[in-house]
mmCIF file of all heavy atoms in Angstrom:
data_model
loop_
_atom_site.group_PDB
_atom_site.id
_atom_site.type_symbol
_atom_site.label_atom_id
_atom_site.label_comp_id
_atom_site.label_asym_id
_atom_site.label_seq_id
_atom_site.Cartn_x
_atom_site.Cartn_y
_atom_site.Cartn_z
ATOM 1 N N TYR A 192 105.790 152.881 83.252
ATOM 2 C CA TYR A 192 105.406 154.248 82.876
ATOM 3 C C TYR A 192 104.631 154.930 84.003
ATOM 4 O O TYR A 192 104.838 156.105 84.301
ATOM 5 C CB TYR A 192 104.577 154.223 81.594
ATOM 6 C CG TYR A 192 104.272 155.590 81.019
ATOM 7 C CD1 TYR A 192 105.224 156.265 80.263
ATOM 8 C CD2 TYR A 192 103.047 156.213 81.240
ATOM 9 C CE1 TYR A 192 104.971 157.517 79.732
ATOM 10 C CE2 TYR A 192 102.782 157.469 80.718
ATOM 11 C CZ TYR A 192 103.745 158.112 79.964
ATOM 12 O OH TYR A 192 103.479 159.358 79.455
ATOM 13 N N LEU A 193 103.729 154.190 84.646
ATOM 14 C CA LEU A 193 102.954 154.746 85.755
ATOM 15 C C LEU A 193 103.865 155.117 86.923
ATOM 16 O O LEU A 193 103.686 156.164 87.558
ATOM 17 C CB LEU A 193 101.901 153.738 86.220
ATOM 18 C CG LEU A 193 100.713 153.518 85.280
ATOM 19 C CD1 LEU A 193 99.836 152.386 85.794
ATOM 20 C CD2 LEU A 193 99.890 154.803 85.140
ATOM 21 N N ILE A 194 104.860 154.281 87.201
ATOM 22 C CA ILE A 194 105.801 154.572 88.284
ATOM 23 C C ILE A 194 106.608 155.824 87.974
ATOM 24 O O ILE A 194 106.750 156.728 88.804
ATOM 25 C CB ILE A 194 106.755 153.374 88.512
ATOM 26 C CG1 ILE A 194 105.976 152.164 88.989
ATOM 27 C CG2 ILE A 194 107.835 153.737 89.539
ATOM 28 C CD1 ILE A 194 106.796 150.884 89.010
ATOM 29 N N LEU A 195 107.143 155.898 86.754
ATOM 30 C CA LEU A 195 107.994 157.026 86.359
ATOM 31 C C LEU A 195 107.214 158.328 86.274
ATOM 32 O O LEU A 195 107.770 159.408 86.491
ATOM 33 C CB LEU A 195 108.669 156.726 85.016
ATOM 34 C CG LEU A 195 109.684 155.579 85.043
ATOM 35 C CD1 LEU A 195 110.074 155.175 83.632
ATOM 36 C CD2 LEU A 195 110.921 155.993 85.837
ATOM 37 N N THR A 196 105.933 158.244 85.937
ATOM 38 C CA THR A 196 105.106 159.445 85.878
ATOM 39 C C THR A 196 104.983 160.083 87.251
ATOM 40 O O THR A 196 104.991 161.314 87.389
ATOM 41 C CB THR A 196 103.694 159.101 85.340
ATOM 42 O OG1 THR A 196 103.828 158.526 84.041
ATOM 43 C CG2 THR A 196 102.836 160.351 85.240
ATOM 44 N N LYS A 197 104.887 159.244 88.293
ATOM 45 C CA LYS A 197 104.741 159.753 89.659
ATOM 46 C C LYS A 197 106.085 160.099 90.307
ATOM 47 O O LYS A 197 106.166 160.998 91.126
ATOM 48 C CB LYS A 197 104.019 158.716 90.526
ATOM 49 C CG LYS A 197 102.568 158.451 90.129
ATOM 50 C CD LYS A 197 101.898 157.489 91.079
ATOM 51 C CE LYS A 197 102.522 156.112 90.994
ATOM 52 N NZ LYS A 197 101.809 155.117 91.863
ATOM 53 N N ASP A 198 107.125 159.374 89.927
ATOM 54 C CA ASP A 198 108.428 159.512 90.589
ATOM 55 C C ASP A 198 109.525 159.320 89.557
ATOM 56 O O ASP A 198 110.155 158.275 89.483
ATOM 57 C CB ASP A 198 108.515 158.469 91.718
ATOM 58 C CG ASP A 198 109.794 158.575 92.539
ATOM 59 O OD1 ASP A 198 110.509 159.586 92.410
ATOM 60 O OD2 ASP A 198 110.075 157.636 93.318
ATOM 61 N N ILE A 199 109.758 160.354 88.752
ATOM 62 C CA ILE A 199 110.623 160.231 87.572
ATOM 63 C C ILE A 199 112.062 159.858 87.916
ATOM 64 O O ILE A 199 112.750 159.195 87.152
ATOM 65 C CB ILE A 199 110.582 161.525 86.722
ATOM 66 C CG1 ILE A 199 111.232 161.273 85.357
ATOM 67 C CG2 ILE A 199 111.250 162.680 87.452
ATOM 68 C CD1 ILE A 199 110.990 162.367 84.360
ATOM 69 N N GLU A 200 112.552 160.271 89.081
ATOM 70 C CA GLU A 200 113.915 159.938 89.479
ATOM 71 C C GLU A 200 113.957 158.721 90.404
ATOM 72 O O GLU A 200 115.018 158.356 90.907
ATOM 73 C CB GLU A 200 114.572 161.139 90.177
ATOM 74 C CG GLU A 200 114.669 162.389 89.322
ATOM 75 C CD GLU A 200 115.555 162.215 88.101
ATOM 76 O OE1 GLU A 200 116.425 161.317 88.122
ATOM 77 O OE2 GLU A 200 115.385 162.970 87.124
ATOM 78 N N LEU A 201 112.792 158.113 90.661
ATOM 79 C CA LEU A 201 112.665 156.958 91.548
ATOM 80 C C LEU A 201 113.319 157.221 92.904
ATOM 81 O O LEU A 201 114.138 156.437 93.406
ATOM 82 C CB LEU A 201 113.265 155.704 90.893
ATOM 83 C CG LEU A 201 112.582 155.230 89.601
ATOM 84 C CD1 LEU A 201 113.203 153.916 89.128
ATOM 85 C CD2 LEU A 201 111.089 155.043 89.797
ATOM 86 N N GLU A 202 112.948 158.343 93.484
ATOM 87 C CA GLU A 202 113.481 158.720 94.800
ATOM 88 C C GLU A 202 112.852 157.906 95.927
ATOM 89 O O GLU A 202 113.425 157.756 96.996
ATOM 90 C CB GLU A 202 113.258 160.211 95.036
ATOM 91 C CG GLU A 202 114.016 161.090 94.059
ATOM 92 C CD GLU A 202 113.662 162.562 94.157
ATOM 93 O OE1 GLU A 202 112.539 162.881 94.583
ATOM 94 O OE2 GLU A 202 114.526 163.380 93.813
ATOM 95 N N ILE A 203 111.634 157.387 95.687
ATOM 96 C CA ILE A 203 110.956 156.556 96.682
ATOM 97 C C ILE A 203 111.460 155.117 96.540
ATOM 98 O O ILE A 203 111.413 154.532 95.449
ATOM 99 C CB ILE A 203 109.427 156.615 96.493
ATOM 100 C CG1 ILE A 203 108.940 158.067 96.655
ATOM 101 C CG2 ILE A 203 108.717 155.695 97.476
ATOM 102 C CD1 ILE A 203 107.486 158.272 96.286
ATOM 103 N N THR A 204 111.942 154.544 97.628
ATOM 104 C CA THR A 204 112.562 153.218 97.603
ATOM 105 C C THR A 204 111.646 152.145 97.020
ATOM 106 O O THR A 204 112.076 151.313 96.212
ATOM 107 C CB THR A 204 112.992 152.817 99.023
ATOM 108 O OG1 THR A 204 113.871 153.813 99.541
ATOM 109 C CG2 THR A 204 113.714 151.478 99.006
ATOM 110 N N ALA A 205 110.373 152.165 97.417
ATOM 111 C CA ALA A 205 109.424 151.150 96.924
ATOM 112 C C ALA A 205 109.278 151.224 95.407
ATOM 113 O O ALA A 205 109.197 150.191 94.728
ATOM 114 C CB ALA A 205 108.069 151.346 97.598
#
Side-chain angles (χ1 to χ4, degrees):
Y192 187 80
L193 288 174
I194 295 170
L195 293 168
T196 301
K197 294 184 294 184
D198 184 13
I199 192 168
E200 300 296 337
L201 297 185
E202 296 172 334
I203 300 171
T204 303

